Amino acid sequence: MEHIKITKDLPIGFMDSGLGGLSVLQQAVRIMPEEDFIYYGDSANAPYGTKPQEEIRRLTFNVVEKLLDMGIKGLAVACNTATSAAVRLLREKYTDLPIVGIEPAIKPAVEENHGGQIVVMATPMTIAQEKYHKLLDKYRGDKEIVSIPCAGLMEFVEEGDLNGDDLDKYFEEHLVPYLSDNLETIVLGCTHYPFVRPHLRAFLNNPSVNIIDGSVGTSKELMRRLDEKGLLKKDTGRKGTIKIMNSSGTEEMIKRSEKLLKMPVD
Ligand code: DGL
């Protein structure tokens, strides 16, 4: 257990194995525009989703310690893989820090389901974890849910390849064989995947399919947790700042991050 000094004027920390968590940060900035954010993408060690659990834990703690050294008042583990491998241990160690994780949006997919197929795309490690199977058991009921481990998909986002023929080929090989005529919802269970959603939508060419993710729910939960502790900035009249860091140490990854975030980045 470690005590941390937390004050309202500190930024909120975000972490991911790379650029994916920016899809969650986008939503958080939208609903908490007055907050300052520090985003740390661990692209030098990506992907996490094909690594053993112990290694994902070590890498996640490493990044979180960097964020804590800089000073943060709350943490979003904006990575489904790191959440399933490490969020419980992070909460045990940093008891004072509000910590939210992200998990595949199975609950809303089931709640809004009209009897069609639900497909979950996530990293192999997320799907292999007990946490994921508990989530499925809790909400599945009589619904048809197919889980697809998508090794190799996050790399497209890391490389900035969001709409090429190679991506079509990936979907053709890794997704199409599992889709039924009755497909209703695709759950994007990795924070990188929302960046390929426009291309996936075009590829499927079926407007009735819902493609959902957990970024809004996670951001709202983060806001709720900060508010509950009196740490949320309100009515300051000041627009917050966003600082992006990446373990690759290259300007290229920062530029790519800013582009993905599609907003001015400090
Ligand atoms: N963005 C991460 C997630 O949400 C995973 C990508 C990776 O394999 O590192 O699961």
Side-chain angles (χ1 to χ4, degrees):
M1 214 165 100
E2 219 163 275
H3 288 293
I4 306 157
K5 195 168 157 15
I6 297 175
T7 57
K8 197 176 184 166
D9 54 312
L10 286 171
I12 301 169
F14 266 66
M15 68 87 49
D16 179 47
S17 60
L19 311 186
L22 293 162
S23 64
V24 187
L25 180 60
Q26 271 180 352
Q27 300 301 333
V29 173
R30 203 175 49 79
I31 63 170
M32 294 178 273
E34 296 173 55
E35 296 292 345
D36 298 326
F37 294 92
I38 307 183
Y39 180 93
Y40 194 99
D42 196 12
S43 295
N45 294 303
Y48 281 13
T50 49
K51 290 189 167 65
Q53 188 185 57
E54 273 316 307
E55 200 174 344
I56 300 168
R57 283 185 177 156
R58 187 180 58 76
L59 293 169
T60 304
F61 268 87
N62 220 351
V63 172
V64 172
E65 273 150 29
K66 283 194 210 313
L67 287 168
L68 285 168
D69 285 347
M70 290 182 267
I72 54 170
K73 65 175 176 185
L75 171 72
V77 182
C79 173
N80 293 261
T81 309
T83 298
S84 50
V87 82
R88 186 178 52 80
L89 299 176
L90 287 170
R91 287 195 180 114
E92 275 172 22
K93 182 160 184 195
Y94 305 112
T95 45
D96 306 330
L97 186 71
I99 301 177
V100 299
I102 186 163
E103 59 186 15
I106 302 218
K107 183 172 181 253
V110 168
E111 281 172 356
E112 286 152 34
N113 183 264
H114 297 96
Q117 183 194 36
I118 298 170
V119 164
V120 184
M121 299 169 72
T123 68
M125 202 52 201
T126 296
I127 288 175
Q129 293 277 327
E130 197 192 332
K131 197 170 190 302
Y132 179 73
H133 291 277
K134 282 195 176 149
L135 188 68
L136 276 184
D137 291 345
K138 189 164 170 198
Y139 296 110
R140 172 187 262 145
D142 60 355
K143 305 297 183 190
E144 182 198 352
I145 303 183
V146 180
S147 308
I148 307 182
C150 294
L153 183 52
M154 69 84 80
E155 284 83 343
F156 284 89
V157 177
E158 289 289 300
E159 281 151 29
D161 179 4
L162 306 181
N163 50 24
D165 292 346
D166 289 347
L167 198 50
D168 279 345
K169 204 163 152 244
Y170 186 95
F171 293 146
E172 201 62 65
E173 282 170 14
H174 296 84
L175 184 63
V176 172
Y178 303 97
L179 303 182
S180 80
D181 294 341
N182 201 16
L183 174 64
E184 183 172 333
T185 304
I186 295 182
V187 177
L188 302 178
C190 164
T191 55
H192 281 75
Y193 304 167
F195 292 114
V196 297
R197 177 173 13 218
H199 194 70
L200 176 59
R201 193 165 275 300
F203 174 86
L204 292 171
N205 193 21
N206 180 354
S208 66
V209 174
N210 301 314
I211 309 179
I212 65 169
D213 65 75
S215 58
V216 172
T218 297
S219 300
K220 284 188 178 158
E221 176 65 6
L222 177 63
M223 185 162 92
R224 196 188 63 72
R225 297 282 302 280
L226 290 168
D227 202 15
E228 179 181 86
K229 294 207 164 197
L231 293 170
L232 193 65
K233 285 185 190 161
K234 288 178 199 164
D235 307 320
T236 61
R238 173 186 166 271
K239 197 173 168 311
T241 60
I242 303 168
K243 183 179 168 73
I244 295 185
M245 304 178 74
N246 193 286
S247 57
S248 70
T250 64
E251 196 45 39
E252 173 66 22
M253 287 313 256
I254 303 292
K255 287 245 162 63
R256 209 169 279 169
S257 303
E258 290 171 3
K259 206 170 148 197
L260 289 175
L261 200 55
K262 278 202 206 94
M263 53 178 77
V265 173
D266 303 295

